[in-house]
Amino acid sequence: ENIAKLMLMRGDADGLYGLKDIVLTGTAKGSADEFHNFCVNYASRGDYESACDLLKVGLQQHPLSTDLLADYLQYGIKCGRDEDCSDFYNRLKGVPKERWTWRSFDFSIDYLKELTSALSNADAIEEKKEEMLELADEFQKQMPYDEQPFLAKAEIFEFFGLSSDVTAVLKEAVNNIKVSPKCCLKYSDLMLERGEYSEVIATTKRGIIASAQDQATVNIGYLFYISA
């Protein structure tokens, strides 16, 4: 994993793909986290095919790793591996939600959005929307003090063009989740567009304070800009 990162930094594509060939033989062993991090080196280059090939090796060693299954959904849908994605999504759904990570929820929802984009039947689209919202609700149940489930739900509503629901979810997060810089930023943007300046000022202040407690997950400079 670390060698791959070093090769990526140096632009050593031959070395990077030499490592891939070694891993694909199945002789290399590693944890699910190591496989996840290793595959990122290829996905960051836009080589989703290689990332998926390597994830399959990882899933042979860790067949119920929710992160690796979610990673495959994220990369596989981008390189036409529809059948594999379907199989791995069904496998992931069989894992208890208590073992799902944020990636499991986020990437599953993103996968369902991609499937929905290819649909034209209104009933089928509604069915996918309900499936996404059920995942978002379960996400919130498993991580009740995290802003990410709220953000995921807001983005589902945004995907379906339900602007009032987007606003309501973000406002709920801002009011109830102590550290919610991403939701503060997104909500502030919406309020700025609507000319609700008092809301903008109050929310950006909360976002700036939250960012100081968080690991810089948002552009704090942009929060100051909106506030100004």
Side-chain angles (χ1 to χ4, degrees), residues 23-224:
V23 174
L24 290 179
T25 65
T27 57
K29 305 297 179 183
S31 68
D33 283 344
E34 287 170 334
F35 271 101
H36 162 77
N37 293 332
F38 187 57
C39 292
V40 168
N41 293 296
Y42 300 87
S44 65
R45 295 169 60 91
D47 187 358
Y48 303 116
E49 290 278 0
S50 291
C52 285
D53 289 340
L54 292 163
L55 282 169
K56 278 192 167 183
V57 177
L59 284 164
Q60 288 173 358
Q61 297 180 30
H62 309 281
L64 296 180
S65 166
T66 58
D67 274 344
L68 296 185
L69 289 167
D71 284 342
Y72 200 99
L73 297 180
Q74 185 188 42
Y75 303 146
I77 199 68
K78 295 176 181 176
C79 59
R81 299 200 177 191
D82 299 348
E83 188 174 342
D84 281 344
C85 284
S86 179
D87 290 343
F88 287 135
Y89 180 56
N90 286 329
R91 186 190 297 183
L92 179 58
K93 287 195 294 183
V95 179
K97 297 297 188 294
E98 291 80 6
R99 291 173 53 190
W100 283 37
T101 64
W102 70 265
R103 287 190 188 93
S104 313
F105 288 105
D106 263 352
F107 295 174
S108 291
I109 290 169
D110 287 344
Y111 169 64
L112 291 173
K113 286 178 187 173
E114 290 291 336
L115 295 183
T116 303
S117 295
L119 297 174
S120 57
N121 180 276
D123 289 339
I125 291 171
E126 183 64 23
E127 186 177 328
K128 283 287 184 285
K129 183 178 83 171
E130 291 305 315
E131 186 174 358
M132 289 183 221
L133 289 173
E134 285 175 9
L135 282 177
D137 287 340
E138 187 64 36
F139 194 178
Q140 191 171 348
K141 178 182 174 183
Q142 298 302 326
M143 304 178 192
Y145 306 111
D146 196 301
E147 71 167 329
Q148 200 62 32
F150 290 90
L151 197 62
K153 184 176 280 189
E155 289 173 352
I156 292 169
F157 287 134
E158 190 172 40
F159 178 78
F160 287 100
L162 303 171
S163 58
S164 61
D165 290 317
V166 173
T167 304
V169 170
L170 291 174
K171 186 170 184 177
E172 183 183 358
V174 168
N175 289 338
N176 294 289
I177 302 300
K178 185 175 181 181
V179 180
S180 56
K182 294 177 185 176
C183 288
C184 285
L185 179 58
K186 198 170 182 69
Y187 183 68
S188 296
D189 260 339
L190 290 176
M191 293 300 99
L192 187 62
E193 289 174 6
R194 298 174 190 179
E196 300 285 349
Y197 301 123
S198 59
E199 279 283 273
V200 173
I201 292 169
T203 307
T204 52
K205 284 182 178 178
R206 292 193 64 166
I208 290 165
I209 293 169
S211 294
Q213 301 174 53
D214 203 21
Q215 295 182 351
T217 56
V218 298
N219 186 339
I220 192 169
Y222 186 58
L223 278 168
F224 277 112

